[in-house]
């Protein structure tokens, strides 16, 4: 188990170092082994309190963090804005302070505005509260745990016993779809390029604005067509079309989008024969990916992503929670 970890909060992957990625992968691999045992629980975070504070809807991320915390024997609390004092005018900082006063050690925060998890972490530090904060998705900014579970899923396929980032060097990964609105894409760009993969972003121009072209470099290519992105790709990551974040009409129709950018088995013929497809979920079946491809175990890693998510989130809670001696 990794003990050399200095990061208090996990808010962004922008400044993550290769050794930190490997620490997450290695720790997650140990927890994957724990999760395959008959007793899928370790006492690592016994006595600690993990609070999930989701100001935005979520199915898999919240449940995954909650289960990860329970598998580490932490106590869990859930906050939902609809049934909370936020509707009575309480501020987000006051909500966080309330949970700290109740004994929260780790807060897992999702919010529709970029920067809220960072702001809570800064406020907790200002107050001298030893609370750790994990960003579970902030606006269109970042979603570190999703990118880390994507990384673990891919690296485990390349080297099951010892998933490590160097195994990704020189692999081609296409990220296709609503990149404009995607915090998943932003976090994945950091992790995959840090791993030495060649990342190709593809979307219609309205969903991949020219600013992204400025990010392009040796490891990052940007294009407005699907075919060059798919050509000889080792992995294809497709993103949900985020209808709730589309203020303007950025697309003529969903049918047309599927015709131009929807992933199908036929289109994957441009890729490497061993190509695998990832999707963070939730999926719009028949829009960004055909229903048939989504359910095809020869290509789709979607279920593995969900399974990996629990082990990776256990690793993140363990690393920032300072747990020791759990295997
Ligand atoms: C993503 C999110 O919420 O950013 N989903 C997830 O966490 N698994 C992607 C999305 O909503 O499309």
């Amino acid at each position: 188990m990794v003990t050399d970890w200095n990061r208090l909060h996990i808010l962004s992957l922008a400044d993550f170092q290769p050794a930190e990625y490997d620490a997450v992968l290695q720790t997650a691999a140990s927890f994957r082994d724990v999760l395959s045992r008959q007793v899928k629980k370790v006492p690592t975070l016994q006595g600690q309190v993990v609070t999930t504070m989701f100001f935005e809807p979520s199915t898999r991320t919240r449940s995954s963090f909650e289960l990860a915390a329970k598998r580490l024997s932490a106590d869990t609390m859930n906050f939902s804005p609809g049934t909370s004092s936020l509707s009575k005018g309480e501020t987000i900082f006051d909500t966080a302070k309330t949970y700290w006063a109740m004994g929260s050690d780790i807060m897992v925060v999702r919010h529709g505005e970029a920067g809220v998890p960072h702001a809570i972490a800064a406020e907790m530090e200002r107050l001298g509260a030893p609370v750790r904060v994990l960003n579970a998705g902030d606006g269109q900014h970042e979603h570190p745990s999703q990118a880390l579970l994507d990384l673990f899923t891919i690296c485990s396929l390349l080297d099951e016993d010892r998933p490590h980032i160097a195994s990704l060097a020189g692999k081609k990964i296409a990220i296709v779809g609503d990149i404009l609105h995607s915090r998943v894409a932003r976090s994945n760009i950091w992790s995959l390029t840090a791993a030495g993969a060649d990342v190709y972003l593809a979307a219609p121009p309205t969903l991949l604005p020219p600013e992204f072209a400025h990010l392009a470099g040796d490891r990052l290519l940007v294009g407005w067509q699907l075919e060059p992105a798919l050509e000889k790709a080792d992995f294809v990551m497709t993103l949900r079309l985020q209808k709730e974040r589309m203020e303007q009409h950025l697309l003529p129709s969903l049918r047309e989008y599927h015709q131009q950018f929807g992933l199908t088995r036929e289109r994957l013929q441009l890729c490497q024969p061993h190509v695998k497809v990832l999707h963070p979920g939730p999926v719009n079946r028949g829009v960004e990916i055909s229903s048939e491809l989504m359910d095809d175990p020869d290509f789709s890693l979607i279920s593995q992503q969900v399974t990996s998510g629990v082990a990776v989130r256990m690793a993140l809670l363990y690393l920032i929670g300072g747990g020791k001696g759990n295997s």
Side-chain angles (χ1 to χ4, degrees):
M1 242 341 139
V2 174
T3 46
D4 186 18
W5 178 272
N6 298 316
R7 199 176 279 272
L8 288 182
H9 312 289
I10 298 177
L11 301 171
S12 159
L13 297 185
D15 62 347
F16 244 61
Q17 300 303 309
E20 292 179 289
Y21 286 113
D22 278 333
V24 171
L25 295 176
Q26 192 189 326
T27 311
S30 310
F31 286 126
R32 177 191 56 199
D33 297 344
V34 168
L35 293 174
S36 65
R37 294 183 197 156
Q38 206 170 8
V39 179
K40 301 174 174 50
K41 207 164 170 147
V42 285
T44 316
L45 293 190
Q46 205 159 35
Q48 294 209 34
V49 177
V50 175
T51 306
T52 60
M53 298 170 59
F54 278 54
F55 298 87
E56 229 191 30
S58 161
T59 312
R60 71 210 73 218
T61 305
R62 182 183 199 131
S63 310
S64 180
F65 267 115
E66 194 178 335
L67 183 59
K70 289 185 164 139
R71 297 291 201 212
L72 293 169
S73 305
D75 295 314
T76 56
M77 288 195 286
N78 290 310
F79 161 84
S80 295
T83 52
S84 76
S85 292
L86 271 191
S87 54
K88 299 181 189 165
E90 182 170 88
T91 69
I92 291 172
F93 284 163
D94 286 337
T95 307
K97 266 193 264 177
T98 303
Y99 279 106
W100 166 47
M102 249 182 257
S104 282
D105 298 287
I106 300 178
M107 294 180 188
V108 179
V109 181
R110 168 171 289 194
H111 199 281
E113 297 286 327
V116 170
H118 301 64
I120 292 178
E123 178 66 3
M124 289 295 125
E125 284 184 17
R126 195 184 67 77
L127 294 170
V131 171
R132 314 293 169 107
V133 180
L134 249 155
N135 179 1
D138 63 327
Q140 298 172 19
H141 178 230
E142 280 218 43
H143 194 347
S145 68
Q146 180 67 44
L148 292 168
L149 76 87
D150 294 340
L151 188 71
F152 181 72
T153 307
I154 294 174
C155 291
S156 298
L157 202 75
L158 297 170
D159 186 344
E160 193 184 346
D161 293 337
R162 197 177 63 88
H164 58 288
I165 54 167
S167 64
L168 259 179
K171 301 281 181 211
K172 178 173 173 181
I173 305 190
I175 303 182
V176 179
D178 189 354
I179 290 162
L180 171 65
H181 298 97
S182 179
R183 52 197 176 206
V184 175
R186 283 170 181 77
S187 289
N188 263 297
I189 290 170
W190 291 120
S191 54
L192 298 174
T193 54
D198 295 317
V199 179
Y200 202 122
L201 308 180
T206 46
L207 297 180
L208 180 49
E211 298 91 84
F212 274 89
H214 301 312
L215 288 175
D218 290 351
R219 294 257 161 263
L220 187 68
L221 288 163
V222 175
W224 292 328
Q225 274 169 351
L226 181 63
E227 287 70 20
L230 294 188
E231 217 175 315
K232 299 225 160 24
D234 298 281
F235 296 92
V236 183
M237 202 174 270
T238 174
L239 303 168
R240 181 174 69 92
L241 211 50
Q242 302 207 4
K243 295 178 212 157
E244 78 275 19
R245 296 211 181 98
M246 284 199 201
E247 279 138 26
Q248 315 103 346
H249 294 287
L250 296 173
L251 292 169
S253 75
L254 294 183
R255 207 166 61 91
E256 192 163 321
Y257 178 81
H258 183 68
Q259 272 168 9
Q260 286 185 19
F261 283 91
L263 285 191
T264 58
R265 272 208 286 246
E266 296 67 49
R267 285 200 155 134
L268 289 189
Q269 285 171 7
L270 289 168
C271 305
Q272 297 281 9
H274 56 249
V275 68
K276 299 285 179 213
V277 176
L278 296 98
H279 191 306
V283 176
N284 295 307
R285 280 180 182 266
V287 180
E288 62 263 7
I289 183 168
S290 71
S291 213
E292 182 194 51
L293 179 58
M294 180 181 168
D295 297 330
D296 186 339
D298 288 339
F299 291 108
S300 170
L301 291 179
I302 298 173
S303 299
Q304 285 93 317
Q305 286 173 276
V306 176
T307 304
S308 299
V310 180
V312 169
R313 290 180 172 118
M314 285 173 80
L316 302 182
L317 293 170
Y318 164 83
L319 289 167
I320 63 167
K324 291 209 167 53
N326 54 322
S327 45

